[in-house]
Amino acid sequence: FYYFVRLCLDKILLQCVLQSRTLSGADAINALRPFYFAVHPDFFGQHPKEREVNENSLKRLNGYLENLQKPGFRSFKPTQLTFYVREREPNSSNVQEPFSASGFRAVSFTLHTRDLLSTVLDILNSCSLSTEHVQSLNVNSQPHKEAKSTVNRPIKWDKTYYSFTGFKDPEEELEQAQRVETTLMSWLDDNEASAVKKLKKSLPLRKELERLKIELSHELQLSDIRWQRSWGIAHRCSQLHSLGRLVQQRPEILKNVKGHTVVFTDRSGMSAAGHVMLGTMDVHHHWTKIFERLPNYYKLQKRLLLLEDRISQLLGGIQVIYIEELQPLLTLEEYFETLNSFYNKLRDSRLPFHPRSLRGLQMILESDRYAPSLHEFGHFMIPTVCDPAALQWFIFAKAQEARENLKRKEEMMITEKELISTSTERFSLDRLYKEPSVSSAQMIDCCKRLLEESLPYLQGMHLCVSHFYSVLQDGDLCIPWNWK
């Protein structure tokens, strides 16, 4: 009897302790402000790969936080996240101070806590951010010193407590989760039903999106309609409806867009690739101005092409290209200024390149690098601040390797396309695609290993090859390219 009473008293004490450590959803958001400031995708405009990783990780983190706030939430699935964290100014101890533009670091951590406070502290500690400001919130708790694999519990319960009451031991659950590595099959087992449910719900919207896209492309005689970011289907439909209303209101100004590609993105203008950008946060008035200014953009585009030719002549015939998937989304004006600055620097240096000696090679300009490099696809990645003499030496030293990579690129692209087609047919997928941050070599490796498996779960699904596991809001399954 004494033992039973003691168990009851201990249980009441545990509830009191947990209640004293309760954190509201609003408090959690406030506490995580330094974290959001360090990882927000808008600060990674010059780094498309890192931006995409942070966007996807934030979606999964928000889902985790939402689940913690649901009444009676009991499921326990450790969630591994990766973020690129912007570095703070040196010698800065204040989390509110501005970050420097010197760079960022990759941080990976696993969330396994069951309450908002512990989750918030784990996130901040994992990213080496201060937790002092958390104490100013209306939370009666001690600073969370460690964010390792231990569970933050004020009482160490004896194992007999769990066997007597039937409650699950969180430490034992965590140990089991850490021992069992996530595999493709186990993840599909756990998430296939949820993905199917979301996919079925999105099917009417997917048909509506395709209909709107075809109608607008035909009416405006567009080459294509694209989206810079992975917005949901409902969001995309809303954007096309908005463009459709503008077509009805001002049909005369839209004749200038004939033959071009429209890209829905974060800002309006014309991109370095010559696409018409429509900012999703802008109103029709801003879009109207862009369509009216298109003739002037086309004139600037011709000047830009001439500038590329002049740079090519100074560098022995090497072709200057712009690759959307690998470079930040620059406006036409921004890219022109970058080219013009680089051209003036080359012209003043008078590098002794033999005419047409580098014909057939390619290069892209980057403003966030300091040393030249050679991409696996054979194009040179040249910093705008690169020393001309160092640039000349690097190009000469890597020219043969660049030609070999260019040849291998063509073979790789063909192989990748064939494997995507074969995998789509083999697993009866509705669609198989990859995120821009996944290279062709990674996609090829992923598809080859997929074809060795039996995966009945994938029939009719949309499968995206990414860097981590997730189910998107419209039912797309995301798997890491290096799945186990």
Side-chain angles (χ1 to χ4, degrees):
F1 176 77
Y2 172 80
Y3 181 67
F4 178 75
V5 171
R6 178 61 184 271
L7 283 175
C8 292
L9 290 173
D10 285 348
K11 186 175 180 180
I12 294 172
L13 176 61
L14 174 62
Q15 290 175 342
C16 292
V17 172
L18 291 178
Q19 287 172 358
S20 71
R21 301 175 65 252
T22 299
L23 193 70
S24 70
D27 286 337
I29 296 299
N30 287 332
L32 286 174
R33 279 184 178 177
F35 165 74
Y36 288 129
F37 186 64
V39 304
H40 199 284
D42 287 350
F43 293 110
F44 289 80
Q46 302 296 313
H47 307 278
K49 173 185 174 182
E50 288 75 15
R51 175 182 180 132
E52 188 167 5
V53 169
N54 282 12
E55 280 182 348
N56 287 300
S57 292
L58 280 174
K59 289 178 185 177
R60 299 175 67 213
L61 172 60
N62 290 337
Y64 189 94
L65 295 175
E66 288 174 6
N67 284 334
L68 288 180
Q69 298 175 67
K70 291 179 181 177
F73 177 71
R74 290 179 177 272
S75 62
F76 182 74
K77 293 181 181 178
T79 300
Q80 184 172 1
L81 299 173
T82 296
F83 286 99
Y84 286 94
V85 181
R86 296 191 301 139
E87 296 286 7
R88 284 178 287 150
E89 293 285 359
N91 304 321
S92 171
S93 58
N94 188 341
V95 296
Q96 301 298 334
E97 288 188 16
F99 287 71
S100 68
S102 59
F104 44 79
R105 53 193 167 87
V107 174
S108 295
F109 54 89
T110 300
L111 295 178
H112 47 69
T113 47
R114 292 177 180 236
D115 65 275
L116 280 174
L117 177 59
S118 297
T119 302
V120 166
L121 292 170
D122 275 352
I123 293 170
L124 294 174
N125 278 292
S126 297
C127 296
S128 300
L129 296 172
S130 173
T131 59
E132 292 180 4
H133 62 289
V134 180
Q135 303 307 311
S136 64
L137 300 173
N138 188 22
V139 181
N140 183 18
S141 65
Q142 295 298 317
H144 190 74
K145 297 297 183 181
E146 295 183 359
K148 304 296 182 183
S149 59
T150 58
V151 179
N152 183 18
R153 292 173 52 80
I155 298 177
K156 179 73 173 178
W157 296 96
D158 189 90
K159 298 296 181 183
T160 55
Y161 168 77
Y162 299 104
S163 60
F164 183 84
T165 61
F167 294 128
K168 293 182 178 180
D169 183 350
E171 291 187 356
E172 186 176 325
E173 281 187 312
L174 177 58
E175 291 173 1
Q176 291 176 353
Q178 290 174 334
R179 286 196 299 268
V180 180
E181 184 179 15
T182 301
T183 65
L184 178 61
M185 295 300 291
S186 66
W187 186 81
L188 289 175
D189 280 337
D190 293 338
N191 294 276
E192 185 257 349
S194 170
V196 169
K197 183 179 179 180
K198 291 180 178 180
L199 180 61
K200 286 182 178 179
K201 186 178 179 181
S202 73
L203 288 179
L205 276 177
R206 290 180 185 271
K207 291 180 180 178
E208 173 72 359
L209 179 67
E210 190 63 23
R211 182 188 67 80
L212 289 170
K213 186 175 177 181
I214 292 173
E215 287 183 0
L216 282 171
S217 296
H218 177 73
E219 187 171 0
L220 299 177
Q221 300 183 53
L222 300 174
S223 296
D224 195 9
I225 297 177
R226 301 179 191 170
W227 285 264
Q228 178 203 1
R229 295 165 63 182
S230 53
W231 284 294
I233 304 297
H235 196 169
R236 297 187 182 201
C237 284
S238 175
Q239 291 159 359
L240 291 185
H241 277 299
S242 187
L243 178 58
R245 287 193 294 271
L246 182 59
V247 172
Q248 299 300 320
Q249 296 168 5
R250 299 291 302 276
E252 73 282 357
I253 65 167
L254 291 166
K255 61 183 179 180
N256 295 329
V257 79
K258 178 181 177 180
H260 283 76
T261 293
V262 168
V263 181
F264 289 97
T265 180
D266 295 327
R267 52 181 174 166
S268 298
M270 178 170 273
S271 73
H275 302 325
V276 179
M277 301 190 303
L278 299 181
T280 57
M281 299 301 292
D282 292 339
V283 295
H284 283 182
H285 174 68
H286 294 102
W287 288 7
T288 300
K289 281 189 172 183
I290 295 301
F291 288 120
E292 289 174 344
R293 292 174 55 191
L294 285 179
N296 292 329
Y297 278 125
Y298 298 150
K299 292 178 182 177
L300 180 60
Q301 193 175 23
K302 290 181 179 178
R303 293 174 57 195
L304 186 146
L305 294 174
L306 180 60
L307 200 51
E308 287 181 338
D309 287 338
R310 289 176 176 173
I311 293 174
S312 177
Q313 292 172 8
L314 292 175
L315 293 178
I318 191 170
Q319 182 186 8
V320 183
I321 60 174
Y322 178 85
I323 304 177
E324 288 181 281
E325 293 80 8
L326 298 177
Q327 295 180 257
L329 189 65
L330 300 175
T331 64
L332 198 65
E333 298 95 328
E334 291 170 342
Y335 190 49
F336 181 85
E337 288 300 319
T338 298
L339 286 173
N340 192 48
S341 174
F342 186 71
Y343 168 71
N344 291 331
K345 190 173 185 178
L346 283 179
R347 184 187 56 187
D348 295 340
S349 65
R350 300 182 180 276
L351 293 177
F353 281 100
H354 191 278
R356 296 186 295 280
S357 60
L358 299 176
R359 197 172 183 179
L361 297 181
Q362 299 174 337
M363 62 167 278
I364 65 174
L365 279 177
E366 296 198 328
S367 57
D368 59 346
R369 289 176 178 265
Y370 293 93
S373 61
L374 179 63
H375 194 269
E376 63 173 347
F377 277 173
H379 57 264
F380 289 96
M381 304 171 74
I382 307 300
T384 54
V385 297
C386 185
D387 175 66
L391 171 63
Q392 179 187 11
W393 176 89
F394 184 82
I395 292 178
F396 280 150
K398 296 288 185 177
Q400 184 57 36
E401 184 180 349
R403 296 187 190 278
E404 293 172 358
N405 285 4
L406 282 171
K407 290 181 181 179
R408 190 160 53 248
K409 170 190 173 182
E410 297 176 5
E411 299 171 357
M412 193 177 293
M413 296 294 284
I414 293 173
T415 302
E416 180 184 9
K417 187 176 181 180
E418 290 176 347
L419 285 171
I420 290 175
S421 177
T422 303
S423 301
T424 302
E425 183 178 353
R426 163 78 180 278
F427 301 115
S428 300
L429 289 164
D430 194 70
R431 185 188 178 202
L432 173 59
Y433 62 104
K434 68 174 184 177
E435 291 182 348
S437 56
V438 176
S439 69
S440 290
Q442 292 169 338
M443 186 66 173
I444 289 172
D445 176 72
C446 177
C447 289
K448 283 182 176 179
R449 292 189 299 114
L450 281 176
L451 289 170
E452 296 174 356
E453 302 292 328
S454 175
L455 301 169
Y457 307 92
L458 300 181
Q459 185 173 357
M461 300 302 294
H462 291 243
L463 183 65
C464 174
V465 177
S466 176
H467 294 278
F468 36 71
Y469 292 104
S470 65
V471 178
L472 301 185
Q473 62 187 39
D474 294 305
D476 294 47
L477 289 166
C478 292
I479 65 171
W481 68 270
N482 56 345
W483 54 271
K484 303 297 182 183

